[in-house]
Structure formats: C-alpha cells, structure tokens
Amino acid sequence: DAFPYTAEADMKLQWLADDACAVTYQSPDDGQVHQYVMTYGDRGNGITTYYVYNVVQGGWSAEGKNTAGWELTTGPEGITVVSPSDGEQVYEADDCVQFGTLAIALCENGLPQWTLVLLDDCAVGDVSDVVESGTIALCKVTMEKSAPIYFTRTAMPDGADMESAETPSKEENGKELRDRMKQTLREDPALSRYESDAYGGIRVVTDEEDIFWIARCGLEERYKLLAVNGVDVDCQILHMELLAGDRYDCAVRVKEKVTYGSDPGGETSASEMETTFRIMKGEGAYLLAWAGFDTDPAVGLDAPAMAMERDTAGNEDYHFFVPGEEAY
C-alpha cells in the first residue's frame, strides 16, 4: 500500500493494539497531518470482511483513570466523540476511513482527527455483525505524544439479538479454514493461479521440505503484502514451533521481533509478535493460511510425538528486511 500523500522523513509510530500500528506523518504536499494504520489481525472469523464503523454501533463507556468528560456514542447520525479539549464532534460513515479490519480514522474535511482501533479482546459475532464484547481504543491524531482512551461495550445496538448471536468456536473456525485450504489445493494443486493474500492464503513455491523454512518464507511474503510505502520493516524470527501435523499438513507458530522505521535517523518502533500458520503441501508449492486468535490451526492434526522447535534468535537466515519503497 502507498501513502496518499508524500511523507516527510519524521514519522510517528504508535502501537494502539498488539497488531495495529498507527503511522502519523506531516506532508509537504499540503502541510497537514495524515495517518495510515498498519493492521495485522482480525476480530471476526478471519473469513468474512466487516466494516469497523458498523461493528462498533451501540453503547460504550470510558474505562480507566482520567476519563472524566470523555464519551463515545454511536447511532444513525454517526460516531460522536466528546472530549474535554475538543467538545462534541460527530463523524458520519463517509467521514471514516478504514484500515484492514481493525481500525478507522475519523476525519473532518478529509483530515484524520481520531483513530479508533478494535483491541485483542473484541469479538465480532457472525450473527449479530457487531462487536459483542471487548475494548476499543480512541486516540487523537497528532504528531505530538498522545495516549489512547479505552472504551468497553455497555449496550448492543437496536435490533442486535445477543441471545441468537452464537459466535463460532475456535474449532469451528479451524475446520472452516482447513476445508477452504483443501478445496483450494484440490482445484489448483500447484497453486499456479493462486494470488496470495495476507489475511487469506499465501503461496510459497519451493521443493524445500523443511517446514520451518517454509514458514519463514511465508512470513516474509506476508509482511511484503502488508507493507506500507515509506515504512521499512526489519524482522528477526526468534522462535518456531511445530504445534501439530507433519510436512504435508501442519500448524506452526512463529515468534518474531519486528522493527518499523522510516528514513535513517527517523523514529522507529519495535514489537514482539506471534504468527500462526496452517500449512498444506501442494505440487511443488505450499499453501499457508494465517490463523487468528479465534481459530484453532491444528484441527484434525495429531500433536508431534516429540517436541519440534527451533530457536532462531541469532540466526541471520531467519532475518529479513522489507524496504518501504518496495511496498506493494
């Protein structure tokens, strides 16, 4: 992805969730502050796409210290933010810019004013199509230091039936993921027509049989797909573990340290993350699918007879760099 405006060298990188990093920058094009949010996760079943503006409809209450005077309400008129410094501001659907499936920027005259992010504990129901429980973060868009205000779900929107909204279990989501991958390989065993997607499946073409190396290649490809122009990604894989299965069909967990930065000397931000893949072997290629927190990646697989892990913290072969100018 590319920034819609030219970015100056100094960028502000701020993690608002474990899998959402806000990149705030000033543009010489118009002298204004703009923002892009890099997202790496999902709060639904990992298959159905949803709009953050829609799933946060309903009631929210500010939590924690220093929240007096803060309000967040949603309804047909839009998302209303009340803050001690700026008073009441209303943002309609057309004022909201979505990033991935985790964040939206609330804009005024096309310029971002607030960033709203679904935190890890949010769960979007398959039936209700809203966040049924969890926490959202709201943070002012500014080049200065800023801290998010957290809100928790207090009321469902009108018409949403919590009693009938049954969120699929991790096992059910895992079965759906497994079946979708098997169907893909049945229709295209060599994955010759398959296009990789960061939240869907990733194709790794190789005759290699080392499953950890295949996971390493898949992780690099995923970061390339998620990359943003102007933001470099430096990743060192720290540890890898075979959770279940064998070299034909398995689940692998990867722990990595990721450092984001702009130009040399600019601001950087580092975070340790965890990525889990379901990996299936095709004909001269492997299909890797990212498994979210609500998906069991090992459905139908047996645990290994012996623990299979690899410590790669000091191994340069398990390090890669994605230049921001090559993002696509």
Side-chain angles (χ1 to χ4, degrees):
D1 292 327
F3 290 151
Y5 296 88
T6 304
E8 292 183 348
D10 292 334
M11 296 184 184
K12 175 186 174 184
L13 305 179
Q14 183 176 12
W15 289 91
L16 297 176
D18 288 343
D19 47 9
C21 181
V23 182
T24 308
Y25 62 97
Q26 191 162 11
S27 173
D29 296 344
D30 58 3
Q32 300 292 335
V33 173
H34 300 275
Q35 189 177 81
Y36 188 97
V37 184
M38 300 183 292
T39 64
Y40 301 90
D42 187 90
R43 304 296 184 251
N45 57 20
I47 299 170
T48 304
T49 300
Y50 53 83
Y51 292 98
V52 174
Y53 177 88
N54 293 335
V55 301
V56 298
Q57 295 295 305
W60 298 89
S61 176
E63 296 290 330
K65 299 179 180 179
N66 302 318
T67 58
W70 286 89
E71 296 180 21
L72 179 69
T73 59
T74 63
E77 71 284 354
I79 297 176
T80 301
V81 176
V82 179
S83 65
S85 59
D86 298 305
E88 180 179 299
Q89 298 165 296
V90 180
Y91 302 93
E92 299 179 358
D94 290 343
D95 299 323
C96 300
V97 178
Q98 176 142 333
F99 300 97
T101 57
L102 300 185
I104 53 174
L106 309 182
C107 302
E108 181 179 341
N109 297 322
L111 297 174
Q113 306 298 309
W114 302 92
T115 312
L116 189 152
V117 177
L118 308 182
L119 298 193
D120 298 6
D121 61 349
C122 284
V124 178
D126 273 3
V127 177
S128 63
D129 289 327
V130 296
V131 174
E132 296 179 354
S133 62
T135 310
I136 59 177
L138 182 72
C139 192
K140 184 71 174 176
V141 176
T142 173
M143 291 297 293
E144 305 299 323
K145 288 186 177 181
S146 57
I149 299 295
Y150 298 102
F151 295 83
T152 56
R153 167 70 81 189
T154 56
M156 295 289 286
D158 293 340
D161 186 357
M162 282 292 289
E163 295 300 324
S164 64
E166 296 182 3
T167 302
S169 66
K170 289 186 176 183
E171 183 178 5
E172 289 171 330
N173 286 335
K175 287 180 179 178
E176 187 170 358
L177 177 68
R178 176 199 62 189
D179 294 345
R180 178 161 48 91
M181 293 178 70
K182 287 185 175 181
Q183 180 66 26
T184 297
L185 287 170
R186 278 196 296 268
E187 295 175 354
D188 185 10
L191 300 174
S192 57
R193 302 182 302 276
Y194 191 81
E195 293 188 9
S196 295
D197 179 85
Y199 297 103
I202 296 170
R203 179 185 63 178
V204 174
V205 179
T206 180
D207 292 326
E208 177 65 63
E209 295 186 351
D210 181 347
I211 204 66
F212 289 138
W213 182 255
I214 293 161
R216 175 248 182 263
C217 294
L219 186 69
E220 181 176 7
E221 179 64 18
R222 185 167 193 261
Y223 275 105
K224 287 181 179 179
L225 292 167
L226 291 166
V228 176
N229 277 337
V231 180
D232 298 333
V233 177
D234 187 288
C235 179
Q236 175 64 56
I237 297 176
L238 305 175
H239 189 80
M240 311 180 83
E241 179 183 2
L242 177 68
L243 301 177
D246 52 34
R247 63 189 180 91
Y248 298 100
D249 185 2
C250 64
V252 174
R253 180 165 56 215
V254 182
K255 293 183 179 180
E256 68 265 26
K257 181 178 181 180
V258 185
T259 302
Y260 297 93
S262 50
D263 292 342
E267 183 176 352
T268 62
S269 176
S271 178
E272 289 193 8
M273 304 179 70
E274 188 174 286
T275 304
T276 302
F277 289 119
R278 178 80 179 239
I279 304 175
M280 292 187 185
K281 188 177 188 302
E283 296 179 1
Y286 289 83
L287 179 62
L288 289 75
W290 169 79
F293 75 98
D294 61 347
T295 300
D296 180 358
V299 166
L301 301 176
D302 295 327
M306 297 179 60
M308 293 185 62
E309 303 181 35
R310 183 172 297 173
D311 184 2
T312 58
N315 191 333
E316 185 63 24
D317 290 339
Y318 288 81
H319 168 268
F320 58 83
F321 180 77
V322 180
E325 66 269 22
E326 294 183 7
Y328 59 92

